[in-house]
Amino acid sequence: ELEISLKVVIVGNGAVGKSSMIQRFCKGTYTRDYKKTIGVDFLEREIEIDGEDVRLMLWDTAGQEEFDAITAAYYRGAHACVLAYSATDRDSFDAIPSWKLKVENECGEIPTVLVQNKIDLVDQCQIDPNEAERLGRALGCKLLRTSVKEDVGVMSVFRHLASRCLIE
Ligand code: GDP
Ligand code: MG
């Protein structure tokens, strides 16, 4: 039986929690002072979707996103994408359309999900819920909310993307 392998890229401004999300999903761990230099290109985890084993390879960046210096190699062959912003960082939300365009330019249209992370910091939220829903609709992406810290919603992000990839 052929195993399905999917390359997933996770983009968004620095400090929104991309590396933490990868670490959480693949290793089940969370640290506040996550090292920027992860040292590997990706971490992986296998999950089962409708009786199929799916290997997800989650590609991380080493902070190049802060200099707008992500290389084409990072995007090459990606099957799915997470567009991530932080509930506490308005700029990261405003940057989402340009991240979507970058991914589209490199990968074409691939299954993509919009993720609002850090929902545990409720009192610091800078995004109106309606506005977030509107952006999701405008970009044609499902909006999901996560707290990587408290392990809320992370599994749903990757199950959703894997299911979408199996359908297409
Ligand atoms: P990246 O630059 O997008 O890879 O972001 P990091 O994964 O390095 O995370 C940046 C900071 O946000 C770190 O201190 C994380 O511990 C913290 N962080 C990540 N996810 C969450 C979350 O869901 N809630 C809270 N409160 N902090 C988070
Ligand atoms: Mg990072």
Side-chain angles (χ1 to χ4, degrees):
E1 195 185 325
L2 265 179
E3 193 193 65
I4 302 157
S5 284
L6 300 174
K7 173 175 177 175
V8 182
V9 289
I10 299 169
V11 301
N13 284 6
V16 301
K18 303 182 298 299
S19 298
S20 302
M21 186 175 296
I22 294 169
Q23 197 82 4
R24 167 65 84 194
F25 181 71
C26 295
K27 294 188 165 175
T29 58
Y30 174 80
T31 46
R32 212 159 65 81
D33 298 307
Y34 189 74
K35 296 275 174 301
K36 278 206 162 142
T37 45
I38 187 172
V40 293
D41 293 332
F42 64 88
L43 292 179
E44 59 183 34
R45 175 174 174 183
E46 214 168 281
I47 59 172
E48 201 184 296
I49 303 279
D50 302 330
E52 302 251 24
D53 288 331
V54 182
R55 179 194 301 271
L56 295 170
M57 293 170 292
L58 308 192
W59 283 62
D60 199 8
T61 60
Q64 308 97 309
E65 69 275 22
E66 297 187 43
F67 315 101
D68 200 14
I70 297 182
T71 61
Y74 175 77
Y75 295 105
R76 193 166 301 134
H79 300 94
C81 170
V82 175
L83 294 172
Y85 66 93
S86 163
T88 65
D89 177 353
R90 181 71 213 185
D91 287 346
S92 74
F93 178 75
D94 294 336
I96 288 294
S98 80
W99 281 113
K100 175 80 161 56
L101 278 178
K102 279 175 206 163
V103 175
E104 248 175 61
N105 287 339
E106 297 287 344
C107 310
E109 292 277 355
I110 54 175
T112 298
V113 66
L114 179 62
V115 174
Q116 172 165 320
N117 186 38
K118 307 199 188 184
I119 58 166
D120 54 288
L121 300 173
V122 201
D123 50 345
Q124 295 171 45
C125 186
Q126 297 184 13
I127 322 294
D128 177 78
N130 296 319
E131 204 178 1
E133 294 290 348
R134 223 167 22 242
L135 179 63
R137 277 196 302 276
L139 298 178
C141 303
K142 188 176 178 65
L143 169 67
L144 294 173
R145 293 182 170 87
T146 61
S147 168
V148 170
K149 182 180 180 186
E150 293 181 352
D151 201 7
V152 173
V154 177
M155 184 52 129
S156 308
V157 170
F158 298 105
R159 291 197 71 84
H160 176 77
L161 284 177
S163 305
R164 286 274 315 278
C165 288
L166 291 190
I167 292 164
E168 292 193 0

